[in-house]
Amino acid sequence: MKAVKRPAWRVDEVTLPNRDRLGADRELDLTLLKQAPVHELTVRAIAARADISERTIFRYFATREALSNAIASEVSRHMALPPDPSTMAELLNYPDTLYRRFEATAVLTKAALHTKLFSRMRNVQAQRRWESVRKVIYAHAPQRSESDRKRAAANIRYFLSATTWHYYRVYFGFGLNETIECARTAMLQAAEGLGGQGRASISNASGQP
């Protein structure tokens, strides 16, 4: 009896099982995401690469929407971004850990930036990161107005994204360390502009007297 060939799908050349929908013996392949524009990341293309039928894919994903969500989830999981900051020191040092993780998964990160997957990932990750930044900034300068703190938090949050990392690295041609320092400097200026009871923590985190 001929054995049934199981799909072998991979994420950035690292095997990651999709335990929720495919089981431990099946994996999700995002290689096409790195090699083709988003309109070519179709069920047919994925099925052809895995050497299975489109019908087989829909045994595990009821709709194309469910498949896209699963792909976005696997991308996020493989990127393994650092935990969101909860203190001023963690916040000001966050570009270092975050950007280095973007760098480590650069091919996949850049591919995700230019696809519809980006909006799916952003809806979860970006909102959570925004809430973390907002809490730190609001605690840092409770004496400032709501609008002042919101603007400062938004300016800082801007530098904690793959889009900004990519902008510095590609459009300005900065190296990784220079990119990190650019982000940290801008965030430091935004935080210092608020003043507040956490000025000492800003100095400690930035290494300034």
Side-chain angles (χ1 to χ4, degrees), residues 162-175:
T163 302
T164 305
W165 162 80
H166 185 257
Y167 187 72
Y168 279 127
R169 296 287 278 120
V170 174
Y171 291 98
F172 290 119
F174 287 172

Side-chain angles (χ1 to χ4, degrees), residues 85-100:
S86 59
T87 67
M88 182 59 72
E90 290 178 357
L91 178 60
L92 294 178
N93 286 316
Y94 200 62
D96 186 86
T97 54
L98 183 66
Y99 285 12
R100 290 187 190 283

